[in-house]
Amino acid sequence: NKKSQTLMINNQRVYFEFLRQSYKVVVCGAGHISMSIIKMCKLLDLPVTVIDDRLTFINNAVDAGADKVICEPFENALDNIQGDTGTFFIIVTRGHRYDQECLEKIMHKENAYIGMIGSRLRVKKVLEHLEEKGIPREKLDQVYTPIGLRIGAETPAEIAVSIMAEIIEVKNKKTGLGAYNQELIELILDEKNNIPKALVTI
């Protein structure tokens, strides 16, 4: 089991369970699909940042519960997002030009997942263009596109379900995904906290 193991230390059997890292979602685009994604992220305790260059759409993202919103051109906004092994990037913009801008920026960032919406033809054009710009094909092949699990999704809400299901699948395949509250993890790992600690999973 990748999530736990038992080791012998000084002739004592010790059980280890790996704590999960923290995860977050960055959504490029604040259209109808994004509104459903935001709501699902809140249910899943995944902090979500939404980027769009249209103020009205960004206001909708705020109303839907986004933790952070950035109303700037996609390229500018992504310049200020670091990315790490716990960041899930979702590209659901309003056109393939914006998809391309976002993907090109994101490809150079550390990430847990990159997913991009679009028809096979639209996706093919974007990937071919980025390959011509020097991004290796093997790296582009790691992008989840067309985005989401194949469940025959049609409505914005169904598409959002398929996307979040794919993200859950990717997340839960990783090592060390005990679903512990972030506050609890911070308390356990806080070096200033000298009280004895024991973690028991029932």
Side-chain angles (χ1 to χ4, degrees):
N1 185 343
K2 289 183 177 179
K3 296 182 183 179
S4 64
Q5 58 180 278
T6 304
L7 299 176
M8 293 298 293
I9 299 175
N10 296 331
N11 295 320
Q12 297 265 335
R13 183 174 287 185
V14 180
Y15 172 77
F16 287 85
E17 185 165 359
F18 300 105
L19 296 178
R20 65 169 172 79
Q21 69 179 106
S22 59
Y23 290 98
K24 56 186 174 288
V25 174
V26 175
V27 184
C28 299
H32 296 303
I33 294 168
S34 299
M35 298 307 106
S36 294
I37 288 170
I38 293 165
K39 290 170 186 172
M40 287 178 211
C41 283
K42 302 312 292 176
L43 285 171
L44 295 165
D45 289 325
L46 287 169
V48 57
T49 297
V50 180
I51 303 166
D52 205 295
D53 56 1
R54 301 165 294 176
L55 185 58
T56 306
F57 285 77
I58 279 294
N59 287 337
N60 292 342
V62 172
D63 292 342
D67 296 281
K68 183 179 178 184
V69 294
I70 305 172
C71 188
E72 288 181 17
F74 294 108
E75 286 182 310
N76 295 2
L78 286 166
D79 280 338
N80 296 313
I81 290 177
Q82 188 69 35
D84 57 32
T85 55
T87 304
F88 295 89
F89 288 99
I90 300 173
I91 303 171
V92 282
T93 75
R94 62 188 181 276
H96 91 274
R97 191 192 82 172
Y98 300 105
D99 292 346
Q100 194 169 288
E101 285 177 7
C102 293
L103 186 57
E104 187 171 359
K105 286 282 183 186
I106 293 166
M107 289 304 298
H108 301 291
K109 299 179 186 294
E110 209 171 9
N111 65 82
Y113 167 98
I114 304 170
M116 185 173 71
I117 204 165
S119 66
R120 293 191 185 279
L121 182 60
R122 172 171 149 180
V123 163
K124 186 170 179 282
K125 284 182 179 176
V126 169
L127 297 181
E128 283 174 354
H129 179 76
L130 293 183
E131 189 175 14
E132 285 168 12
K133 291 189 83 172
I135 296 175
R137 188 75 216 187
E138 58 270 20
K139 207 170 173 185
L140 292 168
D141 285 342
Q142 291 171 14
V143 177
Y144 288 79
T145 189
I147 198 170
L149 297 182
R150 308 280 82 82
I151 59 172
E154 292 181 0
T155 67
E158 288 177 350
I159 293 165
V161 167
S162 76
I163 292 168
M164 294 312 298
E166 186 169 69
I167 282 176
I168 291 166
E169 182 181 55
V170 169
K171 177 175 74 69
N172 289 348
K173 279 181 180 172
K174 291 178 176 284
T175 302
L177 296 176
Y180 300 109
N181 179 287
Q182 187 62 32
E183 218 174 313
L184 175 62
I185 293 170
E186 286 169 7
L187 179 70
I188 292 166
L189 299 178
D190 187 355
E191 291 177 7
K192 295 174 191 167
N193 185 350
N194 293 320
I195 61 169
K197 307 176 191 76
L199 179 62
V200 179
T201 303
I202 300 173

